[in-house]
Amino acid sequence: ENGPNLSPVAEFTVDKTTVGLGEPITLSWEVANAKRVLIKDNHGMVADPGRHNSMKMYHMEPGEYTFVLIAMGVDESASQELQ
């Protein structure tokens, strides 16, 4: 049951785990009981996707990327990490 004071719940997926420079990946998520969602990576990017539940990312720097989805609720937050 969803309500205004329940803890946020997040599920976070990516469509592929290996890409070349400039190739897109698609991050997708489902959240419940969240007022706001943020996406962060280990290269300093922070995105606020608004009410969307997916986003394309293009990597212009070589290396490994870790993405963290943060779902913020009224009193608590939940996060899920993808590598």
Side-chain angles (χ1 to χ4, degrees), residues 6-62:
L6 295 178
S7 297
V9 177
E11 182 179 325
F12 195 28
T13 59
V14 64
D15 66 338
K16 50 191 156 185
T17 57
T18 304
V19 294
L21 289 180
E23 292 180 4
I25 62 167
T26 301
L27 303 173
S28 302
W29 55 90
E30 295 291 329
V31 296
N33 307 318
K35 298 271 185 199
R36 186 173 181 201
V37 170
L38 293 176
I39 307 287
K40 295 171 42 170
D41 75 14
N42 60 319
H43 291 255
M45 183 278 306
V46 178
D48 182 346
R51 300 227 176 256
H52 299 282
N53 64 354
S54 68
M55 117 192 259
K56 282 193 188 274
M57 302 293 295
Y58 296 85
H59 295 94
M60 300 307 190
E61 296 179 26

Side-chain angles (χ1 to χ4, degrees), residues 62 65 77:
Y65 285 76
S77 64

